[in-house]
Amino acid sequence: MRSQRSLKPYTWTESTDVNAIQQAMHQVLNPIFDPFFSDHSYGFRPGRSAHQAVLRAREYVADGRRWTVDIDLEKFFDNVNHDILMSRIGRRVGDRRVLAVIRRYLQAGTMAGGVEPPRQKGTPQGGPLSPLLSNILLDDLDKEQERRGHTFCRYADDCNIYVQSRLAGERVLASITSYLKKKLKLKVNKDRVSSWSRLGVFLRNWTDGFVVNYGTSSGDNGNSTEPEPEN
């Protein structure tokens, strides 16, 4: 005799509910923020891709900016300051109910021993809303670099700045590291800041799986004295 099983009504899991809410908020918030993002930002934006970032970088290299400062933010998603991020969102969103939902999303912790302690900093990864929130926060970095006259490409939390000399690169690294620490409470992972090499600039597109190597002439001694706007 076959065993009889009762049919249970379909219900969404909590994670599915959260993702659905995030997706709905993303569809509303993205058109509000995206038009004001920097043209140098390529990650997780409609009509933009890592391929386009590579092509833009190629233009910078062809223009003689063959030294690169590779800015890698240390544990970015774990170190996002909630108050700073919420203040950036509040510049364009005035509905307190929406702001309250976003803050609750940011503060949602992970279950540990049956208890879910609130998150003090950082933003959950993997949800539909996380990439937009990262672009909102790091748009301040983009605007600051534009103000300084930098030539750069940013894809999510990875940013490459292209300069004409090692000295300019060292100045940029120091000033941008200081800006991130003071203004956005973020730290540069110095272990992953690449050295400046006139042998070539390596850019990798993880989505499409190709590598572009832009080499330089062997006669380049790296002692360029051309003026740089990176102050």
Side-chain angles (χ1 to χ4, degrees):
M1 182 177 179
R2 296 180 179 176
S3 61
Q4 295 181 347
R5 293 183 298 175
S6 60
L7 298 177
K8 297 181 179 181
Y10 172 78
T11 57
W12 283 4
T13 64
E14 182 179 359
S15 61
T16 304
D17 285 337
V18 171
N19 284 337
I21 294 172
Q22 287 187 48
Q23 184 61 44
M25 295 185 68
H26 182 276
Q27 291 176 357
V28 173
L29 294 175
N30 195 65
I32 295 175
F33 285 95
D34 190 82
F36 299 95
F37 287 155
S38 168
D39 287 339
H40 300 272
S41 172
Y42 294 90
F44 305 104
R45 297 183 60 192
R48 289 179 168 259
S49 67
H51 190 186
Q52 293 175 333
V54 170
L55 294 178
R56 175 61 66 88
R58 180 181 181 180
E59 295 176 3
Y60 294 153
V61 174
D63 194 40
R65 298 178 181 275
R66 297 177 177 178
W67 290 71
T68 179
V69 182
D70 182 8
I71 300 296
D72 175 66
L73 298 176
E74 183 177 283
K75 298 180 180 178
F76 170 72
F77 287 98
D78 293 332
N79 291 317
V80 170
N81 183 286
H82 291 176
D83 291 336
I84 294 177
L85 174 57
M86 292 304 302
S87 70
R88 283 12 179 212
I89 297 173
R91 291 171 178 173
R92 301 194 182 279
V93 177
D95 193 321
R96 294 184 178 180
R97 296 168 299 178
V98 174
L99 296 174
V101 171
I102 296 175
R103 185 174 283 276
R104 289 184 62 182
Y105 160 71
L106 292 173
Q107 293 177 337
T110 55
M111 193 69 68
V115 179
E116 186 179 5
R119 185 191 302 267
Q120 301 301 321
K121 63 179 180 178
T123 176
Q125 299 186 49
L129 197 56
S130 292
L132 175 60
L133 296 181
S134 68
N135 277 333
I136 291 174
L137 180 63
L138 293 177
D139 188 59
D140 272 20
L141 172 63
D142 297 341
K143 296 299 195 297
E144 176 64 17
Q145 293 194 83
E146 291 175 349
R147 186 186 69 81
R148 299 183 184 193
H150 290 183
T151 52
F152 67 98
C153 294
R154 183 177 65 80
Y155 193 95
D157 58 329
D158 290 318
C159 181
N160 286 339
I161 309 169
Y162 301 89
V163 297
Q164 294 177 336
S165 69
R166 178 166 185 162
L167 180 60
E170 291 173 347
R171 292 200 306 266
V172 168
L173 174 60
S175 62
I176 290 299
T177 298
S178 176
Y179 172 83
L180 288 167
K181 181 179 180 180
K182 293 179 180 179
K183 299 297 185 180
L184 299 181
K185 308 300 182 185
L186 296 172
K187 183 179 179 182
V188 172
N189 186 352
K190 293 187 177 180
D191 291 337
R192 292 195 59 188
V193 173
S194 62
S195 60
W196 302 278
S197 172
R198 302 294 287 218
L199 297 177
V201 177
F202 296 88
L203 297 173
R204 196 177 287 274
N205 182 331
W206 292 273
T207 303
D208 296 337
F210 64 81
V211 177
V212 180
N213 175 13
Y214 301 114
T216 67
S217 63
S218 58
D220 195 346
N221 60 16
N223 294 323
S224 173
T225 58
E226 296 179 37
E228 291 288 337
E230 298 86 354
N231 296 319

